[in-house]
């Protein structure tokens, strides 16, 4: 799943930030990679983390072991673990409340059919961009890029 998003364009060439597709893999394999770790990797190591598959059980295990080993080689300590959701929210057909809440702050709505038409990586992106501990300024560009904007309609007055 090699996919960069338009809203990532300003840093994709330099890979100064962790791309969403790598963050997706981190959440999948349960590793918390700090930006300090990412910056310590060579461009080749970063590219490898982008390209290395992380979908099947064996690939997830390999990705996790590879990443933990790379961090240990540099920092002499392993990265922290992340809890792995089972099943992860981005695999579910119901729109997470954080995503709906973030859309509503922009006076927008995401229809269930629109959410269901997204691939898991796109759903992951919207979930990450809607959490309270994340900078949300790319949420609207992501919605636009994914083509799922719908204006909220005013409810009829009684």
């Amino acid at each position: 799943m090699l996919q960069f998003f338009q809203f990532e364009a300003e840093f994709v060439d330099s890979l100064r930030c962790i791309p969403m597709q790598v963050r997706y893999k981190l959440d999948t394999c349960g590793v918390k990679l700090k930006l300090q770790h990412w910056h310590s990797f060579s461009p080749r190591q970063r590219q490898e983390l982008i390209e290395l598959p992380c979908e099947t059980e064996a690939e997830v295990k390999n990705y996790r072991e590879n990443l933990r080993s790379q961090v240990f080689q540099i920092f002499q300590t392993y990265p922290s673990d992340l809890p792995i959701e089972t099943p992860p929210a981005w695999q579910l057909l119901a729109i997470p409340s954080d995503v709906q809440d973030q859309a509503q702050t922009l006076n927008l709505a995401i229809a269930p059919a629109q959410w269901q038409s997204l691939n898991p990586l796109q759903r992951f992106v919207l979930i990450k961009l809607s959490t309270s501990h994340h900078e949300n300024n790319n949420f609207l560009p992501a919605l636009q890029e994914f083509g799922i904007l719908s204006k909220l309609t005013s409810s009829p007055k009684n």
Side-chain angles (χ1 to χ4, degrees):
M1 185 182 303
L2 298 179
Q3 182 177 0
F4 292 107
F5 298 103
Q6 292 172 7
F7 66 83
E8 298 178 298
E10 73 179 63
F11 62 82
V12 164
D13 288 340
S14 67
L15 293 176
R16 66 178 167 81
C17 294
I18 303 171
M20 282 294 183
Q21 63 181 297
V22 172
R23 294 182 65 191
Y24 175 84
K25 293 173 183 182
L26 296 173
D27 279 29
T28 299
C29 75
V31 174
K32 177 156 181 59
L33 187 69
K34 297 179 181 178
L35 196 54
Q36 174 188 13
H37 298 145
W38 180 254
H39 287 160
S40 71
F41 296 150
S42 70
R44 183 188 58 72
Q45 287 172 304
R46 292 179 195 174
Q47 191 62 40
E48 183 179 287
L49 290 171
I50 291 166
E51 294 174 0
L52 196 62
C54 188
E55 293 185 34
T56 67
E57 190 174 324
E59 290 170 347
V60 170
K61 182 179 179 192
N62 181 56
Y63 195 93
R64 178 180 168 79
E65 290 172 0
N66 179 302
L67 179 58
R68 287 175 46 81
S69 174
Q70 287 185 50
V71 171
F72 187 83
Q73 287 173 6
I74 296 167
F75 293 94
Q76 303 307 302
T77 186
Y78 289 105
S80 302
D81 290 334
L82 285 174
I84 299 175
E85 294 179 45
T86 307
W90 57 87
Q91 294 289 355
L92 302 176
L93 296 180
I95 305 170
S97 60
D98 286 349
V99 174
Q100 286 290 34
D101 293 346
Q102 185 62 29
Q104 287 179 349
T105 66
L106 300 169
N107 199 33
L108 301 169
I110 300 170
Q114 292 171 311
W115 178 257
Q116 294 165 12
S117 73
L118 298 174
N119 67 44
L121 179 58
Q122 291 171 321
R123 290 183 197 150
F124 170 83
V125 166
L126 293 178
I127 291 167
K128 282 298 176 188
L129 294 176
S130 66
T131 57
S132 59
H133 64 274
H134 192 281
E135 222 176 283
N136 306 107
N137 54 345
N138 283 324
F139 187 80
L140 180 59
L143 288 175
Q144 292 168 328
E145 184 172 340
F146 303 162
I148 59 169
L149 289 181
S150 296
K151 287 284 181 192
L152 285 173
T153 55
S154 299
S155 53
K157 295 185 180 186
N158 294 337

